[in-house]
Amino acid sequence: MKPERKIVPEPGLASEPVFAPQDSANDDPSEHEILETIVDQFTQCLRAGEHPAIVDYQTRYPNLADEIEDLLSSIAMIEQLKTSSDTRTDQRQLLDTVSRLTHIGNYKIQSEIGRGGMGVVFAAVHESLGRRVAIKVMPTPLVDGEKYVQRFRHEAQSAARLHHTNIVSVFGVGEDHGFHYYVMDHIDGDSLNTVIARLKTKPKNALIEESKRYHWAANIAANVAAALAYAHAADILHRDIKPSNMILDQQGTIWITDFGLAKDGSRELNLTRTGDVIGTPQYLAPESLEGQYDQRSETYGVGLVLYELVTLQPAYPAGSPAEIIRAIATRSPTPVKKLDPRIPLDLATIIGKATNREPRLRYQTANELNQDLLAFVDGRPIAARRPHAIERLFRWGRRNPLAAALSAISTLLLVLVAVSASIGYWSTMAALAKEAEKSARLQEQQIKTDAARREAEQNYLQMKTQHERAESNVSITIDAFDEMFKQVIARGAKSTGELDIDGFREVSGLETSLTRQDAAFLNRLVSFYEQFAVLNADNERLQSESAKAYRRVGNIYQLVGELLPAINAYEKSLELLPVSNGDAPSDKSDLLTRVQTQNELGAACRQNGAPLVAQEWNRKSIQLLEQSALSQSDPAVRLELARTLSVLGFNLFRTLSINNNFKPLNPIRQIPTEMAEQFPGGRRNWERRNLQFVQRAIDIMNDLVSEAPDNAEYRSVRATCYCVLAAANIDADRKNGFEIRDRAIKSFDELVTSHPENPEYQYLLALACGLSGEAVHADDLELLERAADLSEKLLQQFPNLLDYHHLHASLRIKLASYHLKQTQRELALKELRSAKSSIEELLAQTPSDRSFFRTMNSLINELQQLSKSYLEVGNSRIAGEINQLARQIRNQMRQQSPPWTKN
């Protein structure tokens, strides 16, 4: 019999006692009645807006502590979900108000894309730039609560920190007439739940073959896991992983969006209370019902998404919040093999591990999940394994301790009885048969061993012969492709000896007569190369050679001025190079190849009018080099780091040295529009940032030159950095700027003398000599004329290289401007005529970088000034011809110019 219990109230628990004292012990309430009364009182407190502590009830009734925790936790979650449901109608009305917007900030709203708990997402267009974007807007009434504003801003800030191929980028945030909004990339595609719904309505093999659909689904989930691994590395949790928060674009790329519930650990900001239900009920991890959430909860969410992609049905069917929570809290998803036996075993194993109810038995990181999914897609063994029967029995026992204990006891008794009854019989039989069986077994085993050895030796010889034959065929094919490349590039070349044609500096250093037709031929050759690589996908050398071939084609395209094909070739090369999940490759050769290819891609993007994209590739290269363990010790890695750092500053130097209408270090002028967000401090901050990179490069190169004073490459990179410093100081401190410039000219003179066959040193020398500041003085004239002569010699060797045409035209325009100011009209006209061929080539190639358009505008200005000068002396015929040329150039620029030139 249980002891009598008197239930009396304790202070601080409630205003009234849960039970009043009874007159008789026989009238004490039962445990069931106590729990019912506690539930009623707890529910009333919640609905009154209070936050009663479960631990107070447990302290009051310690013998019912476990029952109270389970019961009241579930009640709290269900009440929270009910409260959210009660406000859904009001939120829908607020969102309907937002959906009537036609403009917000500088954006014109085109259509509504979707809506969620915190706002409406629109497709919009920036009115001045014409850029198509997506904008998320929060209703005005919601800003009355500071928590909503903080969460909305937190969503924008968290997403803006993330720059990944599979995460929708955020690049602007603002507030207009009380509406808070942020701007992100517009993804042209459908949400993943829409894609799943579409797959349900189509025949099994209408969209994609069944066997391929499993690999497609695994690849989608692998990309999602990779993106989450990147976010986790930035200490950001998404906390609402579900199909509706993922977009599949027209190219088949998956994008994660909506970081509205994200937790940013680096900011120590948490906008939810402990115990809040985080995320969508149907996709909650079991531990989140207890207020716990970490990276393993995110891998669980990815597992549920993959479950739905593979089976075309959710792991937990839709229902009321209470039904869904009860299902998540009490059972695991139905194994996918039971729903569809055709699902591959490895994929089913991955899904089972990702959706395990116990966090410690799941994938511990999103990266682990990504690696297993990629292994499945590539046909490699996965790391996960199916639990053995004993392990499954053990887990069942943990979930059902009473039944497991009774079963174990019954089984043990049954085994003891069987063992006792059989032990005598088996002992006797074993003793009688032991000697007879031993002799026969040894003889049979010897025969089988001899036969197996002979068969293994024969199979080994056959496999060795086949392998050697296959490797020989692959090597012959690789050598043949390589020879074709070298023959095309060396055709007409003046250089002799062994060719090194992998890097752009090497290709541009050859005195060749390459044409666009050569580049197109090599591009077709690479397509056959790649097809051969697909047929031999397990051959790592062939994959590496394919990447090298695409890089070569990109370099040749860039050399002949075909920038878009060059960019495409570089991107394919990077796709084929070995990857290390964001870390620097451990092999030095792989590291340098990837960094150099990225920098060459950045150079092509810069020439094609995308300076920010170019800058991003350079920064990725710097990050990889700095992560390498060789960054402090290996000279080749240190050189590449210094070279990459100098590239950022070199772009500024190139602009300053060939455009006389550009003032350095002038805070009044504004930086280019597309760079304003990245450098909010204006042009001065932009220039200082570039110079910091250059100064760091100089420090590295000083150390390298001290170690190897005769190394030409070291001296060239350091001299280039000197030019950047000179360009930044000439107008502010002419004497100091020219001292630095002269130091660079001296270095390049020595390099040209010792390496007359290298056009890169001649080009850099011409750039340095052409560095004269905003105004050209008489003492600049000799160096400018020398620079112009050098540029003409370069064009005779490389008539298709746009950088050389750009340099030549700019230098001639500078000289024409100087002569015109000295009223030397004939000399000015002569210089402009010398620039004519380069100007025509530049216009024919329609380059779109800003420095080209600044050069053309300078040309038009000089032509107008020259025409005016001829009119003043009465020569209207030449003045008219000059004006006609200026109009032709202006009209052609308007037809060819990108949108930003029309602002």
Side-chain angles (χ1 to χ4, degrees):
M1 178 180 293
K2 293 184 179 180
E4 292 184 350
R5 292 187 297 177
K6 292 292 185 178
I7 309 301
V8 295
E10 287 195 2
L13 189 60
S15 57
E16 295 292 337
V18 176
F19 289 103
Q22 303 293 327
D23 294 335
S24 170
N26 295 331
D27 294 332
D28 282 354
S30 66
E31 291 183 357
H32 179 72
E33 291 173 331
I34 294 174
L35 290 174
E36 283 188 347
T37 305
I38 291 174
V39 167
D40 289 341
Q41 188 181 57
F42 185 77
T43 303
Q44 291 174 8
C45 292
L46 289 176
R47 294 177 178 175
E50 301 175 4
H51 300 283
I54 297 177
V55 69
D56 291 342
Y57 292 92
Q58 292 177 304
T59 303
R60 178 66 182 85
Y61 306 107
N63 56 327
L64 299 176
D66 293 340
E67 293 88 343
I68 288 174
E69 181 178 9
D70 293 342
L71 194 58
L72 297 191
S73 295
S74 298
I75 293 296
M77 293 176 186
I78 293 173
E79 287 298 320
Q80 181 183 345
L81 290 169
K82 286 182 177 179
T83 303
S84 175
S85 177
D86 293 339
T87 61
R88 195 170 299 154
T89 300
D90 293 337
Q91 282 191 342
R92 188 180 297 114
Q93 294 174 352
L94 295 177
L95 295 178
D96 289 341
T97 301
V98 174
S99 66
R100 291 193 288 270
L101 289 174
T102 59
H103 286 78
I104 188 163
N106 293 324
Y107 300 90
K108 181 179 180 181
I109 292 175
Q110 293 184 325
S111 61
E112 179 177 332
I113 299 175
R115 58 176 65 191
M118 293 190 63
V120 180
V121 181
F122 297 100
V125 174
H126 193 286
E127 292 186 305
S128 59
L129 297 180
R131 179 178 181 180
R132 187 171 173 83
V133 300
I135 300 181
K136 186 167 185 178
V137 184
M138 186 171 70
T140 302
L142 288 182
V143 303
D144 293 338
E146 182 61 21
K147 174 181 175 180
Y148 289 99
V149 176
Q150 286 183 326
R151 179 174 289 179
F152 191 83
R153 291 174 180 169
H154 176 226
E155 174 178 356
Q157 293 168 356
S158 297
R161 288 179 53 210
L162 303 178
H163 302 281
H164 191 274
T165 307
N166 302 107
I167 297 177
V168 177
S169 297
V170 170
F171 54 84
V173 65
E175 186 265 344
D176 186 17
H177 295 90
F179 291 94
H180 288 259
Y181 68 92
Y182 65 79
V183 187
M184 51 192 163
D185 284 333
H186 180 270
I187 307 300
D188 185 12
D190 297 315
S191 63
L192 201 55
N193 58 342
T194 302
V195 174
I196 293 172
R198 191 180 301 135
L199 287 172
K200 290 180 182 178
T201 62
K202 292 183 179 291
K204 291 271 184 170
N205 57 357
L207 182 64
I208 190 168
E209 295 179 12
E210 196 71 3
S211 60
K212 293 183 179 179
R213 182 166 67 82
Y214 300 134
H215 286 76
W216 169 79
N219 193 57
I220 291 290
N223 289 333
V224 171
L228 289 176
Y230 171 81
H232 295 166
D235 205 14
I236 293 178
L237 297 174
H238 187 283
R239 302 211 296 179
D240 197 12
I241 301 299
K242 59 183 178 181
S244 61
N245 281 341
M246 301 174 189
I247 301 174
L248 190 67
D249 68 17
Q250 300 298 323
Q251 288 72 42
T253 302
I254 194 69
W255 298 83
I256 303 177
T257 185
D258 202 349
F259 276 73
L261 294 176
K263 179 178 181 181
D264 190 339
S266 66
R267 300 175 183 270
E268 299 182 355
L269 179 63
N270 189 3
L271 301 178
T272 55
R273 298 186 304 269
T274 300
D276 279 359
V277 179
I278 300 301
T280 304
Q282 201 169 359
Y283 298 93
L284 289 175
E287 66 271 18
S288 64
L289 300 179
E290 301 174 6
Q292 300 174 6
Y293 195 95
D294 57 21
Q295 294 184 22
R296 298 171 298 179
S297 308
E298 306 260 84
T299 63
Y300 181 88
V302 178
L304 293 186
V305 173
L306 179 57
Y307 185 108
E308 196 164 345
L309 281 172
V310 169
T311 65
L312 301 183
Q313 65 184 59
Y316 294 99
S320 68
E323 292 171 343
I324 295 174
I325 288 178
R326 188 178 301 112
I328 294 173
T330 57
R331 65 177 179 84
S332 299
T334 303
V336 294
K337 291 286 284 185
K338 287 188 177 180
L339 298 176
D340 188 353
R342 294 171 297 179
I343 295 174
L345 180 60
D346 279 358
L347 183 58
T349 301
I350 292 172
I351 296 173
K353 181 172 182 177
T355 58
N356 197 296
R357 290 178 48 77
E358 297 185 38
R360 66 182 182 85
L361 299 177
R362 293 182 206 143
Y363 292 98
Q364 298 302 294
T365 65
N367 187 53
E368 291 180 6
L369 174 56
N370 168 262
Q371 291 300 309
D372 254 10
L373 288 168
L374 291 178
F376 168 77
V377 172
D378 295 338
R380 295 181 283 107
I382 64 174
R385 62 175 180 82
R386 298 182 66 226
H388 300 302
I390 296 177
E391 186 177 350
R392 293 197 298 271
L393 180 62
F394 176 73
R395 295 181 188 176
W396 174 82
R398 289 185 59 188
R399 294 195 299 270
N400 305 275
L402 179 59
L406 294 175
S407 299
I409 293 173
S410 301
T411 303
L412 179 60
L413 292 175
L414 182 61
V415 169
L416 289 175
V417 171
V419 169
S420 299
S422 303
I423 192 169
Y425 173 78
W426 287 110
S427 298
T428 304
M429 292 297 295
L432 293 173
K434 184 175 181 180
E435 292 299 325
E437 290 180 358
K438 182 177 180 180
S439 178
R441 186 168 61 252
L442 289 174
Q443 184 177 5
E444 182 181 1
Q445 184 177 357
Q446 184 65 39
I447 295 173
K448 290 182 178 180
T449 300
D450 292 340
R453 186 183 67 255
R454 289 192 297 271
E455 183 179 1
E457 290 175 352
Q458 184 177 2
N459 290 338
Y460 171 75
L461 292 175
Q462 292 177 353
M463 290 177 60
K464 182 179 180 181
T465 301
Q466 294 174 358
H467 177 75
E468 290 175 350
R469 184 182 299 118
E471 286 294 318
S472 177
N473 290 338
V474 170
S475 297
I476 292 172
T477 304
I478 290 174
D479 294 341
F481 280 133
D482 193 60
E483 185 61 27
M484 289 183 190
F485 267 99
K486 291 184 176 180
Q487 286 182 5
V488 171
I489 292 177
R491 188 177 63 246
K494 299 178 183 179
S495 300
T496 60
E498 186 67 22
L499 296 177
D500 182 7
I501 55 174
D502 292 334
F504 181 72
R505 290 190 302 277
E506 288 77 13
V507 175
S508 62
L510 296 173
E511 298 182 30
T512 68
S513 56
L514 287 171
T515 65
R516 295 179 178 84
Q517 289 74 22
D518 294 329
F521 168 75
L522 291 177
N523 194 39
R524 290 192 298 272
L525 177 64
V526 173
S527 66
F528 290 110
Y529 207 124
E530 186 177 22
Q531 292 174 17
F532 185 70
V534 171
L535 296 175
N536 298 270
D538 58 340
N539 191 302
E540 294 183 0
R541 182 192 172 194
L542 191 54
Q543 299 295 321
S544 176
E545 291 293 328
S546 298
K548 181 191 296 184
Y550 270 116
R551 180 187 175 193
R552 290 174 174 176
V553 169
N555 290 332
I556 296 170
Y557 268 128
Q558 186 173 178
L559 184 65
V560 299
E562 294 286 342
L563 298 178
L564 286 178
I567 291 171
N568 291 334
Y570 288 134
E571 290 176 342
K572 287 183 179 179
S573 177
L574 290 173
E575 290 174 1
L576 292 169
L577 287 174
V579 295
S580 303
N581 302 317
D583 298 328
S586 56
D587 182 78
K588 184 177 79 170
S589 177
D590 290 343
L591 171 65
L592 294 178
T593 298
R594 175 166 287 277
V595 166
Q596 290 164 2
T597 306
Q598 290 180 169
N599 289 342
E600 290 160 359
L601 172 56
C605 291
R606 173 185 60 78
Q607 291 190 64
N608 199 44
L612 282 184
V613 176
Q615 189 176 56
E616 185 61 27
W617 281 115
N618 295 143
R619 289 185 175 176
K620 287 181 179 179
S621 297
I622 292 172
Q623 183 179 9
L624 285 177
L625 291 166
E626 289 177 334
Q627 288 175 349
S628 172
L630 303 173
S631 62
Q632 301 297 324
S633 58
D634 189 273
V637 175
R638 292 161 64 196
L639 171 63
E640 205 59 43
L641 176 59
R643 193 195 307 279
T644 308
L645 287 166
S646 70
V647 166
L648 298 175
F650 178 78
N651 292 335
L652 174 63
F653 159 54
R654 180 178 179 275
T655 300
L656 293 172
S657 62
I658 63 179
N659 287 278
N660 59 355
N661 61 344
F662 184 91
K663 282 190 176 181
L665 296 176
N666 186 347
I668 298 177
R669 291 179 177 244
Q670 296 181 351
I671 62 176
T673 304
E674 73 272 19
M675 303 187 75
E677 294 181 0
Q678 193 159 357
F679 296 101
R683 181 176 294 278
R684 180 181 296 273
N685 186 40
W686 176 44
E687 293 172 356
R688 286 177 177 170
R689 188 74 177 272
N690 278 279
L691 295 180
Q692 288 174 359
F693 287 130
V694 175
Q695 186 58 57
R696 185 179 171 196
I698 290 176
D699 294 340
I700 295 174
M701 295 314 303
N702 283 336
D703 292 339
L704 289 175
V705 170
S706 65
E707 296 170 5
D710 296 330
N711 189 299
E713 197 166 15
Y714 294 173
R715 292 155 57 199
S716 172
V717 173
R718 185 173 66 174
T720 302
C721 297
Y722 286 154
C723 288
V724 180
L725 292 181
N729 285 277
I730 280 179
D731 284 315
D733 186 351
R734 184 176 177 85
K735 180 180 178 182
N736 182 50
F738 279 0
E739 287 178 356
I740 301 174
R741 180 199 65 180
D742 293 342
R743 193 185 313 166
I745 292 175
K746 180 180 178 182
S747 295
F748 287 132
D749 268 329
E750 293 172 351
L751 289 170
V752 169
T753 301
S754 57
H755 300 83
E757 78 289 348
N758 191 321
E760 181 184 11
Y761 297 152
Q762 300 173 42
Y763 173 65
L764 293 172
L765 176 59
L767 281 174
C769 291
L771 190 61
S772 60
E774 180 182 9
V776 178
H777 296 75
D779 54 358
D780 298 324
L781 190 59
E782 182 179 352
L783 284 177
L784 281 175
E785 290 176 342
R786 183 187 179 194
D789 291 340
L790 284 170
S791 67
E792 283 194 6
K793 292 179 181 178
L794 288 170
L795 284 175
Q796 291 173 4
Q797 299 178 50
F798 304 97
N800 297 321
L801 199 55
L802 293 183
D803 276 347
Y804 293 173
H805 282 289
H806 193 182
L807 172 64
H808 180 251
S810 301
L811 291 169
R812 292 300 181 186
I813 292 170
K814 277 189 175 184
L815 288 169
S817 175
Y818 172 78
H819 291 312
L820 190 58
K821 290 178 181 178
Q822 303 299 319
T823 65
Q824 298 171 335
R825 302 181 188 87
E826 296 302 322
L827 290 177
L829 184 58
K830 177 183 176 182
E831 296 294 344
L832 291 176
R833 285 173 176 168
S834 298
K836 182 180 178 181
S837 60
S838 288
I839 293 168
E840 291 173 345
E841 182 68 19
L842 288 171
L843 289 172
Q845 294 301 320
T846 65
S848 56
D849 59 308
R850 291 178 179 274
S851 59
F852 161 74
F853 284 97
R854 284 197 294 268
T855 300
M856 293 298 103
N857 285 329
S858 297
L859 172 63
I860 292 172
N861 180 62
E862 298 304 327
L863 288 172
Q864 290 173 342
Q865 294 296 324
L866 187 60
S867 173
K868 181 179 178 182
S869 177
Y870 272 101
L871 283 175
E872 290 175 352
V873 297
N875 196 333
S876 59
R877 182 181 63 81
I878 295 181
E881 292 178 359
I882 295 172
N883 279 331
Q884 178 65 22
L885 177 61
R887 284 194 295 271
Q888 290 176 354
I889 295 173
R890 185 184 294 109
N891 291 337
Q892 191 165 356
M893 285 178 61
R894 287 174 178 171
Q895 295 174 4
Q896 299 171 350
S897 59
W900 49 260
T901 63
K902 301 182 177 68
N903 291 345

